[in-house]
Amino acid sequence: MIDLRSDTVTRPTPGMLQAMMQAATGDDVFGEDPAVNELEARCAAMFRMEAALFCSSGTQTNQIAIKCHTQPGNEVICDADAHIYQYEAGGIAFNSGASVRLLPGDRGRITAAQVLTAINPDDVHKPASTLVCIENTSNRGGGSCYDFEELKKIQEVCRAHGMGFHLDGARLFNALIARGETAGQYGTLFDSISVCFSKGLGCPVGSVLLGNKTFIARARRFRKVLGGGMRQAGILAAAGTYALEHHIDRLQTDHLHAAAIAGELQHCHFVENLLPVATNIIIFETRGITASDLVTRLGAQGILCNAVAPSRVRFVLHLDITERMVQQVIEKIRSI
Amino acid sequence: MIDLRSDTVTRPTPGMLQAMMQAATGDDVFGEDPAVNELEARCAAMFRMEAALFCSSGTQTNQIAIKCHTQPGNEVICDADAHIYQYEAGGIAFNSGASVRLLPGDRGRITAAQVLTAINPDDVHKPASTLVCIENTSNRGGGSCYDFEELKKIQEVCRAHGMGFHLDGARLFNALIARGETAGQYGTLFDSISVCFSKGLGCPVGSVLLGNKTFIARARRFRKVLGGGMRQAGILAAAGTYALEHHIDRLQTDHLHAAAIAGELQHCHFVENLLPVATNIIIFETRGITASDLVTRLGAQGILCNAVAPSRVRFVLHLDITERMVQQVIEKIRSI
Amino acid sequence: MIDLRSDTVTRPTPGMLQAMMQAATGDDVFGEDPAVNELEARCAAMFRMEAALFCSSGTQTNQIAIKCHTQPGNEVICDADAHIYQYEAGGIAFNSGASVRLLPGDRGRITAAQVLTAINPDDVHKPASTLVCIENTSNRGGGSCYDFEELKKIQEVCRAHGMGFHLDGARLFNALIARGETAGQYGTLFDSISVCFSKGLGCPVGSVLLGNKTFIARARRFRKVLGGGMRQAGILAAAGTYALEHHIDRLQTDHLHAAAIAGELQHCHFVENLLPVATNIIIFETRGITASDLVTRLGAQGILCNAVAPSRVRFVLHLDITERMVQQVIEKIRSI
Amino acid sequence: MIDLRSDTVTRPTPGMLQAMMQAATGDDVFGEDPAVNELEARCAAMFRMEAALFCSSGTQTNQIAIKCHTQPGNEVICDADAHIYQYEAGGIAFNSGASVRLLPGDRGRITAAQVLTAINPDDVHKPASTLVCIENTSNRGGGSCYDFEELKKIQEVCRAHGMGFHLDGARLFNALIARGETAGQYGTLFDSISVCFSKGLGCPVGSVLLGNKTFIARARRFRKVLGGGMRQAGILAAAGTYALEHHIDRLQTDHLHAAAIAGELQHCHFVENLLPVATNIIIFETRGITASDLVTRLGAQGILCNAVAPSRVRFVLHLDITERMVQQVIEKIRSI
Ligand SMILES: [Ca+2]
Ligand SMILES: [Ca+2]
Ligand SMILES: [Ca+2]
Ligand SMILES: [Ca+2]
Ligand SMILES: [Ca+2]
Ligand SMILES: [Ca+2]
């Protein structure tokens, strides 16, 4: 099977497994795991941020960040398609007791002007707006990337209104590669950043949260209370360090693969409204067939993908998908 | 000043004050306040529901109902303009840890078909959809009333999917009068109903939550934990009982007043998109002037009203507004 | 019946009802109720604190204060018998997500030394200790009063460790009268104070929370989200203002009544371990009879009181108990 | 250094690492990780419970269990020394909004009689008592084991009062070995059990929660919202399966080591009130030296241990401590 359901399905490569098994470990709850400490230090340096915290998932790093930035009764501003609202099990309310203000973005991307109008006035009827969350790339936006200038403008709005500014960077490395940007640029812009290692970077488990020292000290407490403190986590962290060295530049390959498949899809009779392909994600509306039926049909051809809405299908490219598999996908969809 | 900002500004009439001062009181936390018990029993009978609970505000009865129907991590489905989301200080998340799924209704009214598509699948990424909330009349919808047949259809969807069905009836009596419906009809349709006494009914303080006995017993616990248990609350409850006897039928007058003012507004140069006036609320978009400026200008003429959006103004009629005041309002707006 | 169950059972006097009826009211959610504003201003002045907030119950003012002082995951230090832990329906956890650290005090009174040892170290396994709550007088401590010098020492510990210092002053006026202290002394010591009007002061409903302006502005938001915002609340607030003028000095009478009854109780065969009577509360252990049976037996004699533990009975004196009733109580208990 | 601070410091053995490296993995969020599924199935069978869930820590499995058994505003009954209260960062309140009722047990062990008196009456002032949590062995009780007959009695109390019954079995395997009991016995007694793999069993990361199918389905949702869903978690789960096969019986060795060291400690001048050693934990009071100073002094001798109170020291034996190290410890403490 060619598994295009998500880049989370990536399995560790032999090189990564080797790195994991050789990791020097210790008890990370005591702060003594060398491999965890190394990954955290490396991420902080890369993003030019003060500190970092290794966690078990991107949902956990996002949820901890939201908790650190808000108090119960506050409001989080984000795109209506944001992962934090759509796929984190209602965690904004569950973990933080915070409300959401959902903006209709352009393929998952909101603007400074939209944020400005969404800030609540100082009125007891309304939650205080205290956090803006951005997702880059946007999963439900089809892997779309933000324009960095717009992010700067949103940051200015946040500063001017005393709001925190968090980046859900589950697939940020895809954006960096696609746009020729650097991690450091993002580190200077955001108050906190979550990056994920178990997606495009190919690790089995892990996400890192970045922020200043005070922020990360508070995050460490929340990680503990969520049960996210792990003991000899260095085995997992070592995979992250390996991925930083070996799996970032190659994301370009996934993007080329996505473009190649999309090039074929736009000629397919069962496709309409193919979203522009900016990185490793392809999203299109189905024509003359439901998403669910198309998924079944592709499955029968050995291609696994997801229905993300009743007439919407998603393909995700990643490091377990070889060039040969891409050719097979193209042939299969041509023949449907 | 003629105060059209809200029907909450109503002050007790001499007759109501008299009833309050003569109320037989007791300690309601011990369940011993005769006037509270009388109001609760009367409301339960009127709505053909098993039990009722007197609380200090409509926000409190709504919030308690949401808490009773949900668990942290569940999702509430409602119109995007719903009071519970827009004006209750983020309480859905704060008090219940629940998410919201906001639907774009027609002047605050959602349909069974919309509800159906909004129910989350059984997927750990998604909160379980466990409650549908209706607001009738809809405040931000301009006092619009639901079609009762649609409510029945929504109830069927709720039943079929094991979801609770709550009515925010802060202004339900306006709907009953406008549509010729009865409280009992609503009691048989909803699992819980919140009605408010401090708005059109003219009481100083108070709201009643209705449901079955088990539900109200749980609600009583949540009222306590929110600090909503009051001691000799009979003084307030007596106003409610008085209002049920004297202030329901007269809501028709407020509706006629609203229609009369709206009739004039539709000819005013500064008005566009006047929403249909169904009950005691008038909402229109401003033309050639901001809402805020128009409010100031009307204020200078002795008319208080609210800007509910940057170019949206609301007038609310109520029992402290006499026919003569309505005439004055019409004259003033004609002259602007 | 002579109702000694609690001082909450007090009903408004004719003078108080008169004051309520004549109250100038407005919409307090808009901050426009003159009688509410007057009571809040008067309380703030009396306690030499910046601001005040009128709420519907002492539970609500305490719960709001705890919420303002803590974040979810913090810890509150208090006596194991504190009202906030024992009688507020688990609100510390429910409303604030905060843990409790319970200290074994002397009749409800804790010491600075105890507080010091209860502060958690900076360790992710432990909640951060951020609030100390005092109850004066202590209800379950039998109306015991703190030594003011000890309170000063506790304040120093709070200051030194960056912890908030809250007073549950549900019966603080009893302590002021009994100890010859002033409200202003307390206002300079605590970060926030809750006082209750529906107990010894004889009002039907109401409590006031005191703090600095920022604190009260935040408290106002939390009052709203709990559904504690009331519209024409001035009717209730007017009772509070009346009580401040007429019902404080007379608390001395309740104390004398309590002492007189206790004087008799100490000779009764069914009493042992009578706690020292400091204010208006009498608590004793029963001998040769369960608390529940004694309550039933006294009830048959026309005296209502409470079993506060399997072999512990409480009498509470208040303004609805006349000298003649006190004589009757003494005669009845003598004859049992 | 000989690290007796905790059994959490255990590092994977070569055999365990080998098993991890060869694990067949998949995406566990999609339920497709074979190694995770195998560990969950094996644990369920072993405990004769319907289902199991692999999580990242014992804190997480306990916190999820508490959340499943309670609603906000409920109360959890446990020993005052329970890990869930003492070391889980205030999670009972943070994650579940639940109160605690702390009982003074005998070395961490509570009785059915104590539980019975701790159940709150049906009174709105009091949280509903809905869960009893047991910790076996008890960490702060010095590794003490429950008498199984007492656990049966507690279960009867839980059944009779409709309360859930949860076992924090972080070190349950130590109890099973010490008392000759079976996992299946425990599975039939408790509604949910948390077992930990990163302590005595020597795994780097991981804990399993057991319960019936409905319970585990709900737990899976809460794991997701806490960010505990991990992708290719099979690498960690494989360590757990390896430990079940190779590291249970050998716990007896840790117990013998503990007994040997304790045998020496009881003659040491700096020791008093050495708790009976039942499993792998040694706790004693210091004499003539603070716990902190003793820890420093032992550290200088190459022995790491913990001060668990100002004059209380804890040693924990585990699989990284060889017989030779035990001899060294005995010689060092003899010489102090
Ligand atoms: Ca992966
Ligand atoms: Ca939570
Ligand atoms: Ca809450
Ligand atoms: Ca009113
Ligand atoms: Ca009273
Ligand atoms: Ca370990």
Side-chain angles (χ1 to χ4, degrees), chain D residues 24 36 40 50-51 64 94 101 111 133 157 166 188 204 222 236 242 245 265 276 279-280 290 304 309 326:
Chain D
V36 170
E40 290 175 351
E50 286 180 17
I64 290 174
F94 183 86
R101 178 71 173 269
T111 65
C133 287
V157 173
H166 172 70
T188 53
F222 289 122
L236 302 173
Y242 180 90
E245 285 172 6
L265 280 169
T279 52
N280 68 323
T290 65
L304 298 177
V326 170

Side-chain angles (χ1 to χ4, degrees), chain A residues 231-232, chain D residues 7-11 197-199 202-205:
Chain A
R231 297 293 174 175
Q232 288 74 29
Chain D
D7 41 13
T8 62
V9 303
T10 46
R11 290 197 189 83
F197 288 92
S198 70
K199 298 192 178 79
C203 296
V205 171

Side-chain angles (χ1 to χ4, degrees), chain A residues 29-30 67 70-73 121-128 217-218 220-222 224-225 231, chain C residues 29-30 67 70-73 121-128 217-218 220-222 224-225 231:
Chain A
V29 177
F30 299 159
K67 182 71 207 121
T70 62
Q71 300 306 339
D122 182 13
D123 174 347
V124 293
H125 293 84
K126 298 281 189 181
R218 293 184 64 222
R220 199 173 288 273
R221 280 185 174 276
F222 289 121
K224 187 70 186 166
V225 83
R231 297 293 174 175
Chain C
V29 177
F30 299 158
K67 181 73 208 119
T70 62
Q71 300 306 338
D122 182 14
D123 175 346
V124 295
H125 293 85
K126 297 283 188 180
R218 293 184 63 221
R220 198 173 289 273
R221 280 186 174 276
F222 289 120
K224 187 70 185 167
V225 83
R231 297 292 174 174

Side-chain angles (χ1 to χ4, degrees), chain A residues 94-95, chain D residues 94-95:
Chain A
F94 183 87
N95 291 310
Chain D
F94 183 86
N95 291 310

